[in-house]
Amino acid sequence: MTLLIDADWLLYSSCCSCEQSIKWDEWLHTLHADERDIHEMIDSRVQHYQRIAEDDQDVVMCFTQYPTFRHTIFPDYKANRKDRRKPLALKKTIEQVSERYESVSYIGLEGDDVMGLLATSKKYPNPIIVSVDKDMRSVPCTLLASDDMELITKRKADRHWMIQSLTGDSTDNFKGLEKVGPVTAEKILGDAKTLEAMWEKVVEAYKKKKQTFADAILTARLSRILREGDYDYKTGEVSLWTP
């Protein structure tokens, strides 16, 4: 087995958890982080995932390379995060973890896309995606999101993707249909089973809301986590999904 780990999330959350705030006196207040604590936490969490998988697993850290193709097709992608402070020691931790573990990143892709590509290719034996990101349920894979492994079939993955094509993702700063959340999106898709049938319902819902086919296809492309065949490893070009 091979654990494909969402390194962006793992390192960011570990750095945040290890920050310590100290108020020394009435005037002096500092924030610091011990890099040894950060690496100890990262290694501990990796070992935890390995125990859950109950096998001798290789570990691959999957990283983002900015800017991504989503910023090209939608410049405001994740613009709501620009002013957010990064945790202390994050840059150094990324450098050190990249040296300590096998690490993969591709030009113009987010770590999510890297995991999606590696999980749907035959590059690694029995790949398991390790991520708490709900977006990874739009990839056909074995997913370790908490303390259990979940098999995401292609049908489940496509349905989750089409739900996001209707709802958008406020966390990443792109909208879907107004007043359409996951529950309403499920109702819109109804008993549609194939991707083609679900897409027809998505387009119909956009038209009912006085939005265009272009709006629907943009949201679908932004929310699609890449799968094998969507990316040219030699040129770094993404094949945008076309129905």
Side-chain angles (χ1 to χ4, degrees), residues 1 25 34 37 44 51-52 58 71 73 86 99 103-104 106 129 139 147-148 162 182 186 214-215 222 235 240:
M1 290 184 179
D25 56 35
D34 190 321
D37 292 339
S44 176
R51 285 194 296 271
I52 293 174
D58 294 324
H71 293 90
I73 64 175
K86 290 181 172 60
E99 294 175 356
S103 301
V104 178
Y106 296 124
I129 289 179
V139 176
D147 286 340
D148 295 301
M162 287 295 101
E186 283 281 10
D215 294 326
L222 289 170
T235 65
L240 296 175

Side-chain angles (χ1 to χ4, degrees), residues 158-159 161-168 176-211 216:
D158 286 343
R159 190 174 184 91
W161 171 36
M162 287 295 101
I163 287 173
Q164 289 189 289
S165 297
L166 289 164
T167 64
L177 291 175
E178 186 178 358
K179 296 182 180 179
V180 173
V183 174
T184 302
E186 283 281 10
K187 292 180 180 178
I188 290 172
L189 295 181
D191 60 357
K193 297 292 191 297
T194 66
L195 178 58
E196 291 77 11
M198 287 186 281
W199 176 244
E200 286 181 7
K201 289 181 178 291
V202 169
V203 173
E204 182 181 349
Y206 269 79
K207 289 180 179 178
K208 285 182 178 179
K209 291 280 188 176
K210 307 299 181 184
Q211 291 186 249

Side-chain angles (χ1 to χ4, degrees), residues 60-79:
V60 179
M61 294 290 182
C62 301
F63 288 95
T64 294
Q65 274 199 41
Y66 288 105
T68 73
F69 76 94
R70 292 183 181 85
H71 293 90
T72 300
I73 64 175
F74 184 64
D76 286 335
Y77 183 69
K78 291 189 176 180

Side-chain angles (χ1 to χ4, degrees), residues 11 30 35 38 71 102 122 125 139 153 158 164 174 190 224 243:
L11 273 59
T30 64
E35 292 179 9
I38 297 171
H71 293 90
E102 180 180 353
K122 296 181 180 179
V139 176
T153 64
D158 286 343
Q164 289 189 289
F174 66 91
R224 180 177 173 83

